[in-house]
Amino acid sequence: MTIRTRFAPSPTGFLHIGGVRTALFSWLYARKHGGQFILRIEDTDRVRSTEASINAIINGMEWLGLQPDEGPFYQTQRFDRYQQAIDQLLADGKAYYCYCSKERLETLRAEQMLCKHKPRYDGHCRHLTTPPPLTKVKPVVRFKNADLGEIVVRDLVKGTVIFNNSELDDLIIARSDGTPTYNFTVVVDDWDMQITHVIRGDDHLNNTPRQINILEALGAKVPQYAHVPMILGRDGQRLSKRHGAVNVMNYKQGGFLQDALLNYLVRLGWSYGDQEIFSRQEMIDLFEISAVHGSPAAFNNDKLVWLNQHYIKTGSPEKLAIYLQFQCDQLGIETLHGPPLTEIVKAQAERAKNFKEMAQNSRFFFGETVVLDEKAAQKHLQFAIKKPLTDLCDRLAELVDWNAEAIHAAIHAVAQQHELKLGKIAQPLRVAVTGRTVSPPIDVTAYLIGQRRTVERIKQALTLIGDTEM
């Protein structure tokens, strides 16, 4: 048997981080077993589904590298197929037209609630063979659910879960305008697409017995189910916007790496011993759906940031430079005439949480001049440092070989000449050439800025220092 999994989001908003984890688990399970992963867009909600949301889903999946083997398929392109299946159930006596008015259903629900009964359809139209006389109600189509017996769901995460048919009512499978409902379209799609394993959030667990009954009524093979627990915020509530970024593309804009995000998400509910860092291939090799925990997992942004830092520190500078370039472009930083981005990555990797931060903190590597931080200039560009800084400027201007070692030697020589601790000259130099008090090692920083621009920036800073001590 070929394993076939699917990810089936509804395009009513962005690609949620919880959906990404579900997609990742499905993708990993298919990859591990040499199977196929299918992307299906469940866009039957014509009011809420948008083209922008569809693009957000597809772009998000592409950015993450979770390539489907088939799809995307769109439910709105399969209405004829759904109608065929509805007609089959009607012809087999396993579905029926319901002419109950909205008013009757509301009254029924109110009465049941008053009696503290579970609201459910009472089967009023179940045995009709013809429409009621003089009715103006456009009928819906209901699935004729079994009255007796039980449905046993052998869930790969939750274990055995039993539902009684007596608790299930006759589900609407086609609305009065003829459009099929979610619980019906998903069944037909899983059947036609030969899905063997349905991995999805546990908020769908209560849909499963209904879907199994419909599959069996159609004569379809029932797939195996795995319902993964939801992701919670640190406050124990379901993850939402108020907990921070939940749109996966926000992480791209925020300078996170795909592999860091996927590494973090795979550990939300799944583990392999005490291992924290997983390459994509290790995820494929080691992932087991049966090892997913049944209880909810809490989203910890600090842990994600730590993982992202790890991938920045250990990644290939050549590959990481692409991410830095994207962030520089987003911030309007012109990099064409600056140092190679690979060298900036090497210099900044130890101190950057993400590439947006790295880009923001690397502006001084580009452009002819820098804007001096006022407080930094007042503290470090004082009259007492003017002569040492002038001498250092002269030494740097005369260097034949412009490299970090030669720059360091020049700084050290000036410090000795003026009987200063190294930091007493290095920090004013840093403020002069970067405009700020924090940067990579100053010799590396000056080397990357370049000899001409370093000298010019020092000269510019010297003009701000008065000729007499205040």
Side-chain angles (χ1 to χ4, degrees), residues 14-18 20 63 231-233 239-256 261 264-265 268 299-301 304-305:
F14 48 72
L15 181 56
H16 190 280
I17 202 73
V20 172
W63 178 67
I231 301 175
L232 306 178
L239 192 67
S240 64
K241 290 181 181 179
R242 62 191 174 87
H243 295 106
V246 290
N247 177 356
V248 67
M249 297 309 282
N250 286 351
Y251 292 98
K252 177 183 180 181
Q253 297 298 326
F256 284 80
L261 182 58
Y264 178 70
L265 289 177
L268 277 182
F299 191 91
N300 185 334
N301 196 65
L304 172 58
V305 169

PDB file of all heavy atoms in Angstrom, residues 14-18 20 63 231-233 239-256 261 264-265 268 299-301 304-305:
ATOM      1  N   PHE A  14      -4.957  33.755   6.482  1.00  0.00           N
ATOM      2  CA  PHE A  14      -3.561  33.389   6.261  1.00  0.00           C
ATOM      3  C   PHE A  14      -3.301  31.931   6.637  1.00  0.00           C
ATOM      4  O   PHE A  14      -4.166  31.254   7.189  1.00  0.00           O
ATOM      5  CB  PHE A  14      -2.649  34.315   7.067  1.00  0.00           C
ATOM      6  CG  PHE A  14      -3.079  34.482   8.506  1.00  0.00           C
ATOM      7  CD1 PHE A  14      -2.931  33.458   9.419  1.00  0.00           C
ATOM      8  CD2 PHE A  14      -3.639  35.677   8.937  1.00  0.00           C
ATOM      9  CE1 PHE A  14      -3.320  33.598  10.735  1.00  0.00           C
ATOM     10  CE2 PHE A  14      -4.039  35.832  10.266  1.00  0.00           C
ATOM     11  CZ  PHE A  14      -3.877  34.791  11.156  1.00  0.00           C
ATOM     12  N   LEU A  15      -2.112  31.458   6.332  1.00  0.00           N
ATOM     13  CA  LEU A  15      -1.694  30.116   6.715  1.00  0.00           C
ATOM     14  C   LEU A  15      -1.259  30.153   8.173  1.00  0.00           C
ATOM     15  O   LEU A  15      -0.215  30.716   8.520  1.00  0.00           O
ATOM     16  CB  LEU A  15      -0.558  29.630   5.818  1.00  0.00           C
ATOM     17  CG  LEU A  15      -0.012  28.226   6.086  1.00  0.00           C
ATOM     18  CD1 LEU A  15      -1.115  27.185   6.018  1.00  0.00           C
ATOM     19  CD2 LEU A  15       1.105  27.891   5.089  1.00  0.00           C
ATOM     20  N   HIS A  16      -2.071  29.561   9.034  1.00  0.00           N
ATOM     21  CA  HIS A  16      -1.870  29.605  10.480  1.00  0.00           C
ATOM     22  C   HIS A  16      -0.733  28.676  10.890  1.00  0.00           C
ATOM     23  O   HIS A  16      -0.508  27.637  10.283  1.00  0.00           O
ATOM     24  CB  HIS A  16      -3.175  29.188  11.159  1.00  0.00           C
ATOM     25  CG  HIS A  16      -3.217  29.411  12.637  1.00  0.00           C
ATOM     26  ND1 HIS A  16      -2.631  28.545  13.537  1.00  0.00           N
ATOM     27  CD2 HIS A  16      -3.779  30.391  13.382  1.00  0.00           C
ATOM     28  CE1 HIS A  16      -2.832  28.983  14.763  1.00  0.00           C
ATOM     29  NE2 HIS A  16      -3.530  30.106  14.695  1.00  0.00           N
ATOM     30  N   ILE A  17      -0.027  29.057  11.950  1.00  0.00           N
ATOM     31  CA  ILE A  17       1.112  28.268  12.408  1.00  0.00           C
ATOM     32  C   ILE A  17       0.676  26.867  12.838  1.00  0.00           C
ATOM     33  O   ILE A  17       1.406  25.897  12.679  1.00  0.00           O
ATOM     34  CB  ILE A  17       1.851  28.999  13.547  1.00  0.00           C
ATOM     35  CG1 ILE A  17       3.288  28.503  13.661  1.00  0.00           C
ATOM     36  CG2 ILE A  17       1.118  28.875  14.874  1.00  0.00           C
ATOM     37  CD1 ILE A  17       4.180  28.983  12.571  1.00  0.00           C
ATOM     38  N   GLY A  18      -0.554  26.749  13.364  1.00  0.00           N
ATOM     39  CA  GLY A  18      -1.065  25.427  13.726  1.00  0.00           C
ATOM     40  C   GLY A  18      -1.297  24.571  12.497  1.00  0.00           C
ATOM     41  O   GLY A  18      -1.031  23.357  12.505  1.00  0.00           O
ATOM     42  N   VAL A  20       0.391  24.838   9.754  1.00  0.00           N
ATOM     43  CA  VAL A  20       1.729  24.468   9.258  1.00  0.00           C
ATOM     44  C   VAL A  20       2.228  23.216   9.963  1.00  0.00           C
ATOM     45  O   VAL A  20       2.790  22.319   9.328  1.00  0.00           O
ATOM     46  CB  VAL A  20       2.728  25.628   9.464  1.00  0.00           C
ATOM     47  CG1 VAL A  20       4.147  25.174   9.124  1.00  0.00           C
ATOM     48  CG2 VAL A  20       2.345  26.813   8.602  1.00  0.00           C
ATOM     49  N   TRP A  63       7.432  28.589   0.574  1.00  0.00           N
ATOM     50  CA  TRP A  63       8.515  29.153   1.383  1.00  0.00           C
ATOM     51  C   TRP A  63       9.046  28.124   2.370  1.00  0.00           C
ATOM     52  O   TRP A  63      10.264  28.020   2.586  1.00  0.00           O
ATOM     53  CB  TRP A  63       8.011  30.391   2.133  1.00  0.00           C
ATOM     54  CG  TRP A  63       9.059  30.989   3.021  1.00  0.00           C
ATOM     55  CD1 TRP A  63      10.222  31.597   2.630  1.00  0.00           C
ATOM     56  CD2 TRP A  63       9.063  31.010   4.456  1.00  0.00           C
ATOM     57  NE1 TRP A  63      10.944  31.990   3.743  1.00  0.00           N
ATOM     58  CE2 TRP A  63      10.261  31.653   4.872  1.00  0.00           C
ATOM     59  CE3 TRP A  63       8.166  30.562   5.425  1.00  0.00           C
ATOM     60  CZ2 TRP A  63      10.579  31.842   6.212  1.00  0.00           C
ATOM     61  CZ3 TRP A  63       8.487  30.755   6.761  1.00  0.00           C
ATOM     62  CH2 TRP A  63       9.682  31.386   7.144  1.00  0.00           C
ATOM     63  N   ILE A 231      -2.352  23.734  19.506  1.00  0.00           N
ATOM     64  CA  ILE A 231      -1.232  24.497  20.053  1.00  0.00           C
ATOM     65  C   ILE A 231      -1.802  25.609  20.926  1.00  0.00           C
ATOM     66  O   ILE A 231      -2.712  26.330  20.517  1.00  0.00           O
ATOM     67  CB  ILE A 231      -0.364  25.090  18.932  1.00  0.00           C
ATOM     68  CG1 ILE A 231       0.198  23.972  18.032  1.00  0.00           C
ATOM     69  CG2 ILE A 231       0.776  25.919  19.510  1.00  0.00           C
ATOM     70  CD1 ILE A 231       0.971  24.488  16.833  1.00  0.00           C
ATOM     71  N   LEU A 232      -1.261  25.740  22.113  1.00  0.00           N
ATOM     72  CA  LEU A 232      -1.724  26.754  23.057  1.00  0.00           C
ATOM     73  C   LEU A 232      -0.697  27.869  23.198  1.00  0.00           C
ATOM     74  O   LEU A 232       0.500  27.681  22.949  1.00  0.00           O
ATOM     75  CB  LEU A 232      -1.961  26.123  24.436  1.00  0.00           C
ATOM     76  CG  LEU A 232      -2.891  24.906  24.510  1.00  0.00           C
ATOM     77  CD1 LEU A 232      -2.968  24.403  25.938  1.00  0.00           C
ATOM     78  CD2 LEU A 232      -4.277  25.244  23.971  1.00  0.00           C
ATOM     79  N   GLY A 233      -1.173  29.034  23.623  1.00  0.00           N
ATOM     80  CA  GLY A 233      -0.269  30.110  24.005  1.00  0.00           C
ATOM     81  C   GLY A 233       0.263  29.838  25.403  1.00  0.00           C
ATOM     82  O   GLY A 233      -0.121  28.882  26.070  1.00  0.00           O
ATOM     83  N   LEU A 239      -3.817  29.129  20.680  1.00  0.00           N
ATOM     84  CA  LEU A 239      -2.931  30.100  20.048  1.00  0.00           C
ATOM     85  C   LEU A 239      -3.721  31.010  19.121  1.00  0.00           C
ATOM     86  O   LEU A 239      -4.481  30.550  18.268  1.00  0.00           O
ATOM     87  CB  LEU A 239      -1.842  29.367  19.255  1.00  0.00           C
ATOM     88  CG  LEU A 239      -0.674  30.227  18.762  1.00  0.00           C
ATOM     89  CD1 LEU A 239       0.148  30.734  19.935  1.00  0.00           C
ATOM     90  CD2 LEU A 239       0.211  29.419  17.811  1.00  0.00           C
ATOM     91  N   SER A 240      -3.533  32.318  19.278  1.00  0.00           N
ATOM     92  CA  SER A 240      -4.253  33.296  18.461  1.00  0.00           C
ATOM     93  C   SER A 240      -3.362  34.509  18.244  1.00  0.00           C
ATOM     94  O   SER A 240      -2.212  34.553  18.699  1.00  0.00           O
ATOM     95  CB  SER A 240      -5.560  33.712  19.156  1.00  0.00           C
ATOM     96  OG  SER A 240      -5.278  34.378  20.376  1.00  0.00           O
ATOM     97  N   LYS A 241      -3.910  35.514  17.566  1.00  0.00           N
ATOM     98  CA  LYS A 241      -3.131  36.708  17.230  1.00  0.00           C
ATOM     99  C   LYS A 241      -2.555  37.395  18.455  1.00  0.00           C
ATOM    100  O   LYS A 241      -1.473  37.975  18.405  1.00  0.00           O
ATOM    101  CB  LYS A 241      -4.007  37.704  16.457  1.00  0.00           C
ATOM    102  CG  LYS A 241      -4.372  37.261  15.051  1.00  0.00           C
ATOM    103  CD  LYS A 241      -5.217  38.319  14.364  1.00  0.00           C
ATOM    104  CE  LYS A 241      -5.613  37.874  12.951  1.00  0.00           C
ATOM    105  NZ  LYS A 241      -6.463  38.884  12.297  1.00  0.00           N
ATOM    106  N   ARG A 242      -3.278  37.330  19.553  1.00  0.00           N
ATOM    107  CA  ARG A 242      -2.813  38.055  20.737  1.00  0.00           C
ATOM    108  C   ARG A 242      -1.554  37.426  21.340  1.00  0.00           C
ATOM    109  O   ARG A 242      -0.899  38.030  22.192  1.00  0.00           O
ATOM    110  CB  ARG A 242      -3.918  38.139  21.787  1.00  0.00           C
ATOM    111  CG  ARG A 242      -4.392  36.810  22.323  1.00  0.00           C
ATOM    112  CD  ARG A 242      -5.664  36.989  23.149  1.00  0.00           C
ATOM    113  NE  ARG A 242      -6.219  35.714  23.554  1.00  0.00           N
ATOM    114  CZ  ARG A 242      -5.860  35.062  24.647  1.00  0.00           C
ATOM    115  NH1 ARG A 242      -4.940  35.582  25.426  1.00  0.00           N
ATOM    116  NH2 ARG A 242      -6.419  33.920  24.963  1.00  0.00           N
ATOM    117  N   HIS A 243      -1.206  36.216  20.908  1.00  0.00           N
ATOM    118  CA  HIS A 243       0.014  35.577  21.393  1.00  0.00           C
ATOM    119  C   HIS A 243       1.224  35.927  20.524  1.00  0.00           C
ATOM    120  O   HIS A 243       2.328  35.448  20.775  1.00  0.00           O
ATOM    121  CB  HIS A 243      -0.159  34.057  21.432  1.00  0.00           C
ATOM    122  CG  HIS A 243      -1.191  33.600  22.416  1.00  0.00           C
ATOM    123  ND1 HIS A 243      -2.434  33.141  22.028  1.00  0.00           N
ATOM    124  CD2 HIS A 243      -1.176  33.561  23.768  1.00  0.00           C
ATOM    125  CE1 HIS A 243      -3.124  32.813  23.112  1.00  0.00           C
ATOM    126  NE2 HIS A 243      -2.392  33.068  24.172  1.00  0.00           N
ATOM    127  N   GLY A 244       1.032  36.737  19.500  1.00  0.00           N
ATOM    128  CA  GLY A 244       2.131  37.080  18.602  1.00  0.00           C
ATOM    129  C   GLY A 244       1.847  36.590  17.195  1.00  0.00           C
ATOM    130  O   GLY A 244       0.706  36.385  16.805  1.00  0.00           O
ATOM    131  N   ALA A 245       2.897  36.403  16.413  1.00  0.00           N
ATOM    132  CA  ALA A 245       2.738  36.008  15.010  1.00  0.00           C
ATOM    133  C   ALA A 245       2.166  34.606  14.900  1.00  0.00           C
ATOM    134  O   ALA A 245       2.729  33.664  15.441  1.00  0.00           O
ATOM    135  CB  ALA A 245       4.089  36.084  14.298  1.00  0.00           C
ATOM    136  N   VAL A 246       1.048  34.472  14.220  1.00  0.00           N
ATOM    137  CA  VAL A 246       0.504  33.144  13.947  1.00  0.00           C
ATOM    138  C   VAL A 246       0.419  32.907  12.438  1.00  0.00           C
ATOM    139  O   VAL A 246       0.190  31.792  11.988  1.00  0.00           O
ATOM    140  CB  VAL A 246      -0.888  32.948  14.590  1.00  0.00           C
ATOM    141  CG1 VAL A 246      -0.769  32.859  16.095  1.00  0.00           C
ATOM    142  CG2 VAL A 246      -1.851  34.067  14.207  1.00  0.00           C
ATOM    143  N   ASN A 247       0.581  33.964  11.647  1.00  0.00           N
ATOM    144  CA  ASN A 247       0.647  33.846  10.202  1.00  0.00           C
ATOM    145  C   ASN A 247       2.074  33.442   9.832  1.00  0.00           C
ATOM    146  O   ASN A 247       3.036  34.134  10.183  1.00  0.00           O
ATOM    147  CB  ASN A 247       0.286  35.188   9.571  1.00  0.00           C
ATOM    148  CG  ASN A 247       0.398  35.194   8.065  1.00  0.00           C
ATOM    149  OD1 ASN A 247       0.819  34.219   7.452  1.00  0.00           O
ATOM    150  ND2 ASN A 247       0.034  36.300   7.455  1.00  0.00           N
ATOM    151  N   VAL A 248       2.216  32.332   9.144  1.00  0.00           N
ATOM    152  CA  VAL A 248       3.564  31.815   8.875  1.00  0.00           C
ATOM    153  C   VAL A 248       4.420  32.824   8.114  1.00  0.00           C
ATOM    154  O   VAL A 248       5.632  32.912   8.334  1.00  0.00           O
ATOM    155  CB  VAL A 248       3.489  30.475   8.110  1.00  0.00           C
ATOM    156  CG1 VAL A 248       2.932  30.669   6.702  1.00  0.00           C
ATOM    157  CG2 VAL A 248       4.858  29.822   8.044  1.00  0.00           C
ATOM    158  N   MET A 249       3.814  33.643   7.242  1.00  0.00           N
ATOM    159  CA  MET A 249       4.608  34.587   6.464  1.00  0.00           C
ATOM    160  C   MET A 249       5.132  35.732   7.332  1.00  0.00           C
ATOM    161  O   MET A 249       6.064  36.434   6.925  1.00  0.00           O
ATOM    162  CB  MET A 249       3.801  35.121   5.287  1.00  0.00           C
ATOM    163  CG  MET A 249       3.410  34.041   4.283  1.00  0.00           C
ATOM    164  SD  MET A 249       4.809  33.026   3.729  1.00  0.00           S
ATOM    165  CE  MET A 249       5.572  34.145   2.552  1.00  0.00           C
ATOM    166  N   ASN A 250       4.535  35.931   8.509  1.00  0.00           N
ATOM    167  CA  ASN A 250       5.091  36.913   9.440  1.00  0.00           C
ATOM    168  C   ASN A 250       6.497  36.514   9.874  1.00  0.00           C
ATOM    169  O   ASN A 250       7.339  37.373  10.163  1.00  0.00           O
ATOM    170  CB  ASN A 250       4.198  37.045  10.676  1.00  0.00           C
ATOM    171  CG  ASN A 250       2.923  37.805  10.401  1.00  0.00           C
ATOM    172  OD1 ASN A 250       2.751  38.382   9.328  1.00  0.00           O
ATOM    173  ND2 ASN A 250       2.012  37.796  11.345  1.00  0.00           N
ATOM    174  N   TYR A 251       6.732  35.216   9.933  1.00  0.00           N
ATOM    175  CA  TYR A 251       8.056  34.742  10.336  1.00  0.00           C
ATOM    176  C   TYR A 251       9.072  34.978   9.227  1.00  0.00           C
ATOM    177  O   TYR A 251      10.244  35.266   9.499  1.00  0.00           O
ATOM    178  CB  TYR A 251       7.992  33.269  10.732  1.00  0.00           C
ATOM    179  CG  TYR A 251       7.214  33.074  12.005  1.00  0.00           C
ATOM    180  CD1 TYR A 251       5.871  32.701  11.969  1.00  0.00           C
ATOM    181  CD2 TYR A 251       7.798  33.320  13.234  1.00  0.00           C
ATOM    182  CE1 TYR A 251       5.135  32.554  13.143  1.00  0.00           C
ATOM    183  CE2 TYR A 251       7.081  33.175  14.410  1.00  0.00           C
ATOM    184  CZ  TYR A 251       5.743  32.796  14.354  1.00  0.00           C
ATOM    185  OH  TYR A 251       5.017  32.676  15.514  1.00  0.00           O
ATOM    186  N   LYS A 252       8.636  34.873   7.997  1.00  0.00           N
ATOM    187  CA  LYS A 252       9.532  35.220   6.882  1.00  0.00           C
ATOM    188  C   LYS A 252       9.884  36.699   6.955  1.00  0.00           C
ATOM    189  O   LYS A 252      11.059  37.075   6.865  1.00  0.00           O
ATOM    190  CB  LYS A 252       8.862  34.905   5.541  1.00  0.00           C
ATOM    191  CG  LYS A 252       9.712  35.320   4.340  1.00  0.00           C
ATOM    192  CD  LYS A 252       8.993  35.060   3.015  1.00  0.00           C
ATOM    193  CE  LYS A 252       9.867  35.489   1.836  1.00  0.00           C
ATOM    194  NZ  LYS A 252       9.200  35.284   0.534  1.00  0.00           N
ATOM    195  N   GLN A 253       8.855  37.552   7.119  1.00  0.00           N
ATOM    196  CA  GLN A 253       9.094  38.983   7.203  1.00  0.00           C
ATOM    197  C   GLN A 253       9.934  39.332   8.425  1.00  0.00           C
ATOM    198  O   GLN A 253      10.681  40.318   8.418  1.00  0.00           O
ATOM    199  CB  GLN A 253       7.757  39.732   7.266  1.00  0.00           C
ATOM    200  CG  GLN A 253       6.878  39.562   6.042  1.00  0.00           C
ATOM    201  CD  GLN A 253       7.518  40.087   4.770  1.00  0.00           C
ATOM    202  OE1 GLN A 253       8.244  41.073   4.799  1.00  0.00           O
ATOM    203  NE2 GLN A 253       7.253  39.440   3.646  1.00  0.00           N
ATOM    204  N   GLY A 254       9.813  38.532   9.485  1.00  0.00           N
ATOM    205  CA  GLY A 254      10.555  38.794  10.714  1.00  0.00           C
ATOM    206  C   GLY A 254      11.970  38.254  10.713  1.00  0.00           C
ATOM    207  O   GLY A 254      12.687  38.392  11.715  1.00  0.00           O
ATOM    208  N   GLY A 255      12.391  37.618   9.616  1.00  0.00           N
ATOM    209  CA  GLY A 255      13.781  37.182   9.514  1.00  0.00           C
ATOM    210  C   GLY A 255      14.077  35.812  10.085  1.00  0.00           C
ATOM    211  O   GLY A 255      15.214  35.512  10.449  1.00  0.00           O
ATOM    212  N   PHE A 256      13.048  34.959  10.150  1.00  0.00           N
ATOM    213  CA  PHE A 256      13.269  33.595  10.638  1.00  0.00           C
ATOM    214  C   PHE A 256      13.568  32.658   9.464  1.00  0.00           C
ATOM    215  O   PHE A 256      13.105  32.866   8.340  1.00  0.00           O
ATOM    216  CB  PHE A 256      12.044  33.095  11.405  1.00  0.00           C
ATOM    217  CG  PHE A 256      11.924  33.667  12.785  1.00  0.00           C
ATOM    218  CD1 PHE A 256      11.410  34.942  12.979  1.00  0.00           C
ATOM    219  CD2 PHE A 256      12.350  32.947  13.893  1.00  0.00           C
ATOM    220  CE1 PHE A 256      11.312  35.489  14.252  1.00  0.00           C
ATOM    221  CE2 PHE A 256      12.259  33.475  15.167  1.00  0.00           C
ATOM    222  CZ  PHE A 256      11.736  34.757  15.347  1.00  0.00           C
ATOM    223  N   LEU A 261      12.011  27.216  11.916  1.00  0.00           N
ATOM    224  CA  LEU A 261      10.581  27.181  12.232  1.00  0.00           C
ATOM    225  C   LEU A 261      10.051  25.751  12.194  1.00  0.00           C
ATOM    226  O   LEU A 261       9.322  25.323  13.103  1.00  0.00           O
ATOM    227  CB  LEU A 261       9.811  28.059  11.244  1.00  0.00           C
ATOM    228  CG  LEU A 261       8.299  28.180  11.468  1.00  0.00           C
ATOM    229  CD1 LEU A 261       7.991  28.726  12.860  1.00  0.00           C
ATOM    230  CD2 LEU A 261       7.670  29.077  10.401  1.00  0.00           C
ATOM    231  N   TYR A 264      11.287  23.793  15.113  1.00  0.00           N
ATOM    232  CA  TYR A 264      10.532  24.122  16.323  1.00  0.00           C
ATOM    233  C   TYR A 264       9.160  23.458  16.314  1.00  0.00           C
ATOM    234  O   TYR A 264       8.729  22.863  17.310  1.00  0.00           O
ATOM    235  CB  TYR A 264      10.372  25.638  16.470  1.00  0.00           C
ATOM    236  CG  TYR A 264       9.548  25.982  17.685  1.00  0.00           C
ATOM    237  CD1 TYR A 264      10.064  25.790  18.965  1.00  0.00           C
ATOM    238  CD2 TYR A 264       8.243  26.425  17.554  1.00  0.00           C
ATOM    239  CE1 TYR A 264       9.300  26.052  20.087  1.00  0.00           C
ATOM    240  CE2 TYR A 264       7.473  26.692  18.669  1.00  0.00           C
ATOM    241  CZ  TYR A 264       8.006  26.508  19.936  1.00  0.00           C
ATOM    242  OH  TYR A 264       7.231  26.740  21.043  1.00  0.00           O
ATOM    243  N   LEU A 265       8.473  23.530  15.189  1.00  0.00           N
ATOM    244  CA  LEU A 265       7.109  22.997  15.122  1.00  0.00           C
ATOM    245  C   LEU A 265       7.076  21.478  15.263  1.00  0.00           C
ATOM    246  O   LEU A 265       6.136  20.931  15.839  1.00  0.00           O
ATOM    247  CB  LEU A 265       6.443  23.423  13.801  1.00  0.00           C
ATOM    248  CG  LEU A 265       6.089  24.905  13.693  1.00  0.00           C
ATOM    249  CD1 LEU A 265       5.512  25.206  12.321  1.00  0.00           C
ATOM    250  CD2 LEU A 265       5.105  25.320  14.785  1.00  0.00           C
ATOM    251  N   LEU A 268       6.743  20.460  18.740  1.00  0.00           N
ATOM    252  CA  LEU A 268       5.506  20.805  19.443  1.00  0.00           C
ATOM    253  C   LEU A 268       4.575  19.596  19.410  1.00  0.00           C
ATOM    254  O   LEU A 268       3.735  19.450  18.534  1.00  0.00           O
ATOM    255  CB  LEU A 268       4.818  22.006  18.787  1.00  0.00           C
ATOM    256  CG  LEU A 268       5.311  23.393  19.183  1.00  0.00           C
ATOM    257  CD1 LEU A 268       4.484  24.461  18.487  1.00  0.00           C
ATOM    258  CD2 LEU A 268       5.257  23.590  20.691  1.00  0.00           C
ATOM    259  N   PHE A 299       3.101  27.020  22.816  1.00  0.00           N
ATOM    260  CA  PHE A 299       4.020  27.729  21.922  1.00  0.00           C
ATOM    261  C   PHE A 299       4.910  28.647  22.759  1.00  0.00           C
ATOM    262  O   PHE A 299       4.426  29.474  23.528  1.00  0.00           O
ATOM    263  CB  PHE A 299       3.229  28.552  20.902  1.00  0.00           C
ATOM    264  CG  PHE A 299       4.068  29.092  19.783  1.00  0.00           C
ATOM    265  CD1 PHE A 299       4.221  28.360  18.616  1.00  0.00           C
ATOM    266  CD2 PHE A 299       4.696  30.316  19.889  1.00  0.00           C
ATOM    267  CE1 PHE A 299       4.997  28.854  17.580  1.00  0.00           C
ATOM    268  CE2 PHE A 299       5.465  30.820  18.861  1.00  0.00           C
ATOM    269  CZ  PHE A 299       5.618  30.079  17.704  1.00  0.00           C
ATOM    270  N   ASN A 300       6.218  28.485  22.593  1.00  0.00           N
ATOM    271  CA  ASN A 300       7.193  29.270  23.345  1.00  0.00           C
ATOM    272  C   ASN A 300       8.071  30.028  22.347  1.00  0.00           C
ATOM    273  O   ASN A 300       8.965  29.451  21.724  1.00  0.00           O
ATOM    274  CB  ASN A 300       8.048  28.347  24.224  1.00  0.00           C
ATOM    275  CG  ASN A 300       9.010  29.116  25.117  1.00  0.00           C
ATOM    276  OD1 ASN A 300       9.422  30.225  24.812  1.00  0.00           O
ATOM    277  ND2 ASN A 300       9.365  28.512  26.236  1.00  0.00           N
ATOM    278  N   ASN A 301       7.809  31.317  22.205  1.00  0.00           N
ATOM    279  CA  ASN A 301       8.533  32.097  21.209  1.00  0.00           C
ATOM    280  C   ASN A 301      10.017  32.191  21.538  1.00  0.00           C
ATOM    281  O   ASN A 301      10.861  32.254  20.626  1.00  0.00           O
ATOM    282  CB  ASN A 301       7.939  33.497  21.099  1.00  0.00           C
ATOM    283  CG  ASN A 301       8.386  34.214  19.847  1.00  0.00           C
ATOM    284  OD1 ASN A 301       8.078  33.807  18.735  1.00  0.00           O
ATOM    285  ND2 ASN A 301       9.148  35.282  20.010  1.00  0.00           N
ATOM    286  N   LEU A 304      11.752  29.303  19.996  1.00  0.00           N
ATOM    287  CA  LEU A 304      11.869  29.481  18.549  1.00  0.00           C
ATOM    288  C   LEU A 304      13.021  30.430  18.228  1.00  0.00           C
ATOM    289  O   LEU A 304      13.805  30.178  17.304  1.00  0.00           O
ATOM    290  CB  LEU A 304      10.556  30.006  17.972  1.00  0.00           C
ATOM    291  CG  LEU A 304      10.573  30.414  16.494  1.00  0.00           C
ATOM    292  CD1 LEU A 304      10.994  29.254  15.609  1.00  0.00           C
ATOM    293  CD2 LEU A 304       9.203  30.938  16.071  1.00  0.00           C
ATOM    294  N   VAL A 305      13.131  31.524  18.973  1.00  0.00           N
ATOM    295  CA  VAL A 305      14.220  32.483  18.759  1.00  0.00           C
ATOM    296  C   VAL A 305      15.574  31.800  18.985  1.00  0.00           C
ATOM    297  O   VAL A 305      16.525  31.996  18.214  1.00  0.00           O
ATOM    298  CB  VAL A 305      14.059  33.700  19.692  1.00  0.00           C
ATOM    299  CG1 VAL A 305      15.318  34.567  19.666  1.00  0.00           C
ATOM    300  CG2 VAL A 305      12.841  34.523  19.280  1.00  0.00           C
TER     301      VAL A 305
END
